[in-house]
Amino acid sequence: KKNYIYFLKKISYKNNGRTFIISSHNLEFIRKFCNRTLWLHQGQLLDFNDTEVVLEQYVQESAIPSMNL
């Protein structure tokens, strides 16, 4: 739990000039902590854009319920 709290503190400011690489399917986590998102599928780059743009495409393409996008 300490590592998770440390991580959240480190990335709590989206524009702090740091780059983190996060691999996740947790859309709410990505939305909260990422201002740019890279979407890979089977090793192929599908999109690299503002997070909301990528998540909207991801939800549409994956047939996931909208989750209030």
Side-chain angles (χ1 to χ4, degrees):
K1 185 172 179 174
K2 283 184 180 181
N3 288 337
Y4 181 72
I5 292 169
Y6 175 79
F7 177 74
L8 292 179
K9 286 180 182 177
K10 286 293 185 184
I11 65 171
S12 63
Y13 302 100
K14 286 185 180 181
N15 297 316
N16 65 2
R18 296 180 183 168
T19 299
F20 290 89
I21 298 174
I22 301 166
S23 175
S24 178
H25 291 273
N26 184 327
L27 303 186
E28 292 307 314
F29 181 87
I30 294 168
R31 180 179 285 113
K32 184 173 183 178
F33 294 108
C34 303
N35 54 9
R36 304 269 301 160
T37 299
L38 184 141
W39 177 16
L40 295 174
H41 180 70
Q42 296 181 345
Q44 298 294 316
L45 175 65
L46 297 183
D47 199 2
F48 179 56
N49 210 327
D50 293 332
T51 294
E52 287 302 321
V53 172
V54 175
L55 292 184
E56 185 174 331
Q57 282 187 320
Y58 178 79
V59 168
Q60 290 174 0
E61 296 289 325
S62 301
I64 296 174
S66 68
M67 297 181 71
N68 300 321
L69 282 180

